[in-house]
Amino acid sequence: TTITKPVYVMKVSLILPFFFLFSSLFGQQTETLESKGVIIIASLEGQVVVTNNVTQAQLPSSQVKAGGLLFDGHTVKTGPASKVILLLSNGTVSTIKADSALNIKKFTQEKFDTSKTKLNELKGEPSNSSTIIDIEFGDLVVDVKKLNKQSSFNIESPVGTAGIRGTVPAISVAKLPDGGFTQTTSMLRGEIAFTPKGGGLPTLLGPGQSLST
């Protein structure tokens, strides 16, 4: 395990039109917000496949498009020269880069009044939420709004778990020839606590620091 500082490897830009699109479409989904958080496909490029974790059925291409809605229990995979940006109803922006797979294991959120919420102006999430996503391989950048004390946001991977409070980490997971995995976590903003798979003391990462495992 190696910690380096400072390292800035990526820059994340939040494009306001995405938030206006999200607010408009999300406002129509109020009835689903008792427990399920809503995920909007803000944009996609190239080959993007979404698979139901239970049935292993792929969603039709008519649903996998800009403006399409997703919920937890799905895995998103991108092909070569491809990318997809997901907007979560707690204000989180997830960018899944080429040749990557992200399993959205859990995303629940308490109901809130969408008519009084402008996601582009949020400093923190609009209501309590619980999120578990698993980057199986590839590259992921996540911009997480400041979370409420009752909320949780965990990013799992083959090598460990990163606990998020309101940060921008860039995570890259690569498979080794021997079947193992290597991961590099770079902090663009905020802090995380990374716990190795199998247990052990968490490693704290601050702005500009990176961790290779």
Side-chain angles (χ1 to χ4, degrees):
T1 300
T2 305
I3 300 179
T4 325
K5 60 178 183 179
V7 175
Y8 291 92
V9 296
M10 298 180 192
K11 181 178 180 182
V12 178
S13 298
L14 301 185
I15 305 172
L16 289 182
F18 286 165
F19 285 104
F20 292 122
L21 168 68
F22 185 85
S23 298
S24 174
L25 294 176
F26 183 59
Q28 303 170 22
Q29 305 300 317
T30 306
E31 296 303 318
T32 69
L33 296 184
E34 291 294 348
S35 59
K36 290 287 187 182
V38 178
I39 304 162
I40 276 195
I41 301 173
S43 70
L44 57 80
E45 302 172 9
Q47 180 184 2
V48 178
V49 175
V50 180
T51 304
N52 185 292
N53 292 344
V54 176
T55 66
Q56 293 302 304
Q58 292 184 6
L59 296 188
S61 57
S62 59
Q63 290 182 243
V64 185
K65 62 181 182 179
L69 297 180
L70 301 176
F71 297 92
D72 59 8
H74 291 85
T75 296
V76 182
K77 292 184 179 180
T78 56
S82 302
K83 181 175 73 172
V84 61
I85 298 177
L86 304 178
L87 303 184
L88 281 64
S89 52
N90 62 0
T92 296
V93 180
S94 298
T95 302
I96 307 169
K97 300 200 169 185
D99 295 314
S100 303
L102 182 70
N103 182 351
I104 307 168
K105 289 185 172 181
K106 178 183 179 182
F107 179 42
T108 60
Q109 185 176 16
E110 293 180 2
K111 185 177 178 180
F112 65 93
D113 188 349
T114 58
S115 66
K116 298 180 180 179
T117 304
K118 295 183 179 180
L119 292 181
N120 61 303
E121 297 177 358
L122 288 179
K123 301 299 182 183
E125 61 177 348
S127 65
N128 298 334
S129 65
S130 178
T131 308
I132 301 174
I133 58 177
D134 182 358
I135 177 167
E136 298 175 351
F137 58 84
D139 297 290
L140 172 72
V141 178
V142 185
D143 188 338
V144 181
K145 297 289 185 181
K146 184 178 179 181
L147 298 180
N148 299 333
K149 290 183 178 180
Q150 298 84 359
S151 297
S152 63
F153 196 112
N154 290 321
I155 302 177
E156 298 179 347
S157 76
V159 300
T161 300
I164 310 295
R165 293 306 305 171
T167 60
V168 184
I171 299 174
S172 179
V173 176
K175 193 169 185 177
L176 300 173
D178 62 3
F181 290 86
T182 181
Q183 175 174 321
T184 301
T185 304
S186 302
M187 290 307 303
L188 307 181
R189 189 180 71 236
E191 298 178 343
I192 65 168
F194 179 83
T195 303
K197 196 165 188 176
L201 294 175
T203 300
L204 297 178
L205 288 181
Q209 292 186 314
S210 67
L211 173 68
S212 297
T213 52

